[in-house]
Amino acid sequence: MNAAWFLLYNAIVYPLLFFVYLLLSLVNGKVRAGFFGRFSTYRILKQYFNNIESNRFIYWYHAASLGEFQQIRPVLEGVKEVVPDSVAVVSFYSPSGYQNASCAAMDLKVYLPFDFLWSVNRALAVVNPRKLIFAAYDIWPNLIWSAKRKNIHTNIFAARVKDGSYKMKPVFRRFYRSVYRSFATIYTIAEKDYRHIRTIIGEGNSPKLRALGNPRYDMVKQSADNFTQERTESILSRGKRLILGSMHQEDDEVILPAVWELLRTFPELKILYVPHEPGKTVIEKYRNIFQQEGFTPAVITDKANLVLPDDRVVILGVVGVLASLYWQGQVAYIGGGFSKGIHNVMEPAIARLPVLFGPRHQHFQEAEELLQSGAGFAIHSGEDFKHSCELLFTQEDYFLKSSLAATEVIHRNLGSATRIVRSLIRD
C-alpha cells in the first residue's frame, strides 16, 4: 500500500464520495435504501457472529448488485460443497442485490459497510473471514488494504480490464496498482484481462494472477437445467414473441417507436416488456404508454404463475423470474446499452434467443462473444433495431443459425466456477 494514495483516498476521495452518496440518498429511494441500510451492517454482523463458533471457516463474498451475485453464486455453492461447515457471508452495494438475492448456500447477507477505516476494521474484526472474495469490479480500497494488514486472504475473480480503461492511464494506474497489489489472488476472465492487470500491478510473485473465465456462464446453465423440456423443443414452436428485458428510459426512447411499427407489421407478434425497476408507478406508466398506442397490456405480478398470457403486450411487474420467461420468447433485446451498460445477455442466450443490445457493451465479454458468433446484434438506432428484428422474424435460416450460436457461446465457456473454486481452496 502506497502511503500517499492511502492519505489521498481517506482525506479527500472517499469523504467526497460519501457526501455525494448522502445527497443522492435525499432524492433517490433506491440510493436511500442502500445508504441507510449500511448503518445496520455492524449490528447485524455482531448479532450473527455472537452465535457462531470461532473455529468455523468464514468466507466473505462481495457483489455490487444482483447481476454480480449471479457470478458469485456458483462459486459460493461450490465452496460450500467442498467445505460444508463453512459460513458464507455475502455483502451487497446495491439494494437490487440485497433485497432480491436468494441462495440456500448463503448464510447471511448484509450491505457492504461504508469504506471508512473505522467501519471496515470493525466489520473485519467481527467477521474475521478466512477469505474475502470480490466479484468482477466493485472493489473498495480501505476494505482491501485493511484485510491485507490483518493477513486475510483477499481475492477478486471474474476480473476484467477493458481496452482503453481509465485504470490503464498513468495516474489511475498507479492508484490501482496500490489496490490490486494488496490482493492475494486475482482471477481474470480472459488472457487479455490477465495482461492488462499484469501491466497495472507490474512484475512480481504477488498477487497470484490467473485467467480462469467467467462463472456467470455456469450459473445460467445451472438455472436453465430446470427447463429441459422447453430446451429440447424447437424454438420455432414458441410463437413470435419479442422480449424487452431490463429496459431503461434511454432504451425506450430509441426502441419503443420501432416496437410500435413491428407490432403493426407483424400481427402475430407479441411483446413482453420488462422495466429495469418494476415498481407500481413504473408499471402504471408503461401501461398508459402502451394503451396510448392502441395496445392494452396484461401485467404479471404473481411469481407462482409464469405462463405468459396470449395478450399481444405483457408487462412484467416482479423481479427474479425473467430468466425462466426467456424460454417463452424467440428474440430478446437487453436494456442498459443506451445508458450505463447492458444487463445480463447470457440468460436469453442459454434459452436460444438471438440477443440485441445497445452500443454500451464494450465492457462485457459475453456480449462481444455473442457478436462474434452471430448470436448478438449491436443496435445504434431504432432503425437498426427494426431491421434486425425483421430479418430474424422473416428469415428462418438466419434466425435458426443465430439461435444455435447463442447457446454454443454459453456451452463453450462452462467450467469456470469449478476452476475458481479449486483455486480458492488451494491458494
Side-chain angles (χ1 to χ4, degrees):
M1 178 182 63
N2 183 291
W5 291 119
F6 176 82
L7 281 173
L8 177 65
Y9 180 77
N10 281 283
I12 299 175
V13 175
Y14 190 71
L16 181 60
L17 289 175
F18 180 85
F19 181 68
V20 172
Y21 193 18
L22 172 62
L23 291 180
L24 288 174
S25 73
L26 300 177
V27 296
N28 184 294
K30 182 178 178 181
V31 174
R32 185 161 55 250
F35 183 83
F36 287 102
R38 281 162 173 72
F39 287 100
S40 300
T41 296
Y42 178 73
R43 175 183 55 79
I44 293 170
L45 290 173
K46 191 170 180 59
Q47 182 178 356
Y48 181 82
F49 283 100
N50 278 343
N51 300 310
I52 294 295
E53 298 171 6
S54 59
N55 61 348
R56 298 280 292 276
F57 282 170
I58 299 164
Y59 293 87
W60 180 346
Y61 302 85
H62 175 65
S65 62
L66 188 59
E68 285 66 42
F69 178 72
Q70 300 308 319
Q71 289 179 309
I72 280 179
R73 183 172 176 175
V75 174
L76 185 160
E77 292 174 338
V79 170
K80 202 79 163 183
E81 287 182 8
V82 178
V83 192
D85 290 334
S86 63
V87 175
V89 178
V90 183
S91 61
F92 295 91
Y93 181 81
S94 168
S96 68
Y98 179 78
Q99 294 171 359
N100 299 299
S102 177
C103 171
M106 177 172 58
D107 297 293
L108 179 69
K109 62 180 177 179
V110 294
Y111 279 109
L112 184 75
F114 293 112
D115 202 41
F116 291 111
L117 273 177
W118 62 269
S119 54
V120 297
N121 281 325
R122 283 207 314 171
L124 287 170
V126 170
V127 179
N128 191 25
R130 176 184 176 88
K131 294 191 177 181
L132 175 62
I133 302 162
F134 294 83
Y137 67 89
D138 195 44
I139 57 178
W140 293 90
N142 274 333
L143 183 57
I144 296 164
W145 290 329
S146 295
K148 182 178 183 180
R149 285 196 301 271
K150 294 175 180 292
N151 294 316
I152 297 169
H153 181 112
T154 307
N155 165 272
I156 182 171
F157 67 83
R160 186 152 193 246
V161 178
K162 67 179 180 179
D163 292 334
S165 169
Y166 70 93
K167 294 180 182 179
M168 304 291 289
K169 307 301 181 184
V171 174
F172 290 104
R173 185 169 69 229
R174 287 194 288 271
F175 171 74
Y176 277 98
R177 177 170 295 172
S178 71
V179 177
Y180 280 124
R181 278 185 172 178
S182 297
F183 282 104
T185 51
I186 298 175
Y187 307 150
T188 69
I189 288 180
E191 287 292 337
K192 182 169 67 172
D193 306 306
Y194 176 101
R195 293 192 295 271
H196 286 163
I197 290 182
R198 174 57 69 191
T199 298
I200 292 172
I201 65 177
E203 296 301 323
N205 296 324
S206 181
K208 292 181 181 178
L209 186 59
R210 296 191 178 99
L212 297 181
N214 188 349
R216 190 179 289 191
Y217 289 103
D218 299 87
M219 187 65 244
V220 296
K221 173 61 168 60
Q222 179 181 324
S223 299
D225 286 342
N226 296 325
F227 302 96
T228 302
Q229 180 179 352
E230 289 89 339
R231 195 166 64 251
T232 58
E233 295 175 354
S234 170
I235 189 172
L236 294 174
S237 69
R238 299 181 190 173
K240 203 182 298 294
R241 177 176 278 117
L242 170 63
I243 298 180
L244 307 173
S246 300
M247 296 289 285
H248 292 232
Q249 181 176 336
E250 293 87 347
D251 297 293
D252 295 333
E253 293 169 358
V254 177
I255 300 304
L256 285 185
V259 169
W260 315 140
E261 294 185 43
L262 289 169
L263 282 167
R264 295 180 177 107
T265 302
F266 299 99
E268 71 277 26
L269 177 65
K270 295 180 174 66
I271 300 292
L272 173 62
Y273 183 88
V274 186
H276 177 49
E277 295 182 354
K280 289 183 179 179
T281 303
V282 172
I283 296 301
E284 190 60 30
K285 168 188 171 183
Y286 287 104
R287 191 202 299 265
N288 292 333
I289 287 174
F290 279 101
Q291 285 179 337
Q292 288 171 10
E293 295 295 327
F295 305 98
T296 301
V299 179
I300 293 179
T301 57
D302 183 6
K303 290 185 178 182
N305 181 12
L306 296 178
V307 177
L308 293 177
D310 288 332
D311 301 72
R312 292 202 68 192
V313 176
V314 178
I315 299 174
L316 184 62
V318 292
V319 298
V321 299
L322 180 56
S324 63
L325 296 179
Y326 284 123
W327 295 90
Q328 299 175 58
Q330 282 193 331
V331 176
Y333 173 85
I334 301 302
F338 286 95
S339 53
K340 296 179 180 179
I342 60 173
H343 294 281
N344 191 337
V345 297
M346 288 180 284
E347 288 177 348
I350 192 64
R352 295 190 61 187
L353 273 62
V355 187
L356 291 69
F357 42 80
R360 294 185 181 175
H361 58 77
Q362 293 84 357
H363 195 53
F364 302 87
Q365 185 200 21
E366 53 270 24
E368 293 174 10
E369 290 196 48
L370 289 173
L371 286 171
Q372 292 165 7
S373 70
F377 304 86
I379 303 303
H380 295 84
S381 67
E383 191 59 36
D384 282 351
F385 173 79
K386 181 171 174 285
H387 177 68
S388 294
C389 287
E390 287 175 340
L391 281 177
L392 290 166
F393 285 134
T394 59
Q395 304 294 321
E396 186 172 303
D397 289 343
Y398 180 76
F399 170 73
L400 290 175
K401 182 179 179 181
S402 178
S403 169
L404 179 61
T407 45
E408 286 182 343
V409 167
I410 303 295
H411 285 278
R412 69 170 174 253
N413 281 283
L414 296 176
S416 173
T418 299
R419 292 190 294 271
I420 291 171
V421 169
R422 288 173 179 169
S423 296
L424 278 174
I425 299 297
R426 181 182 65 235
D427 287 339

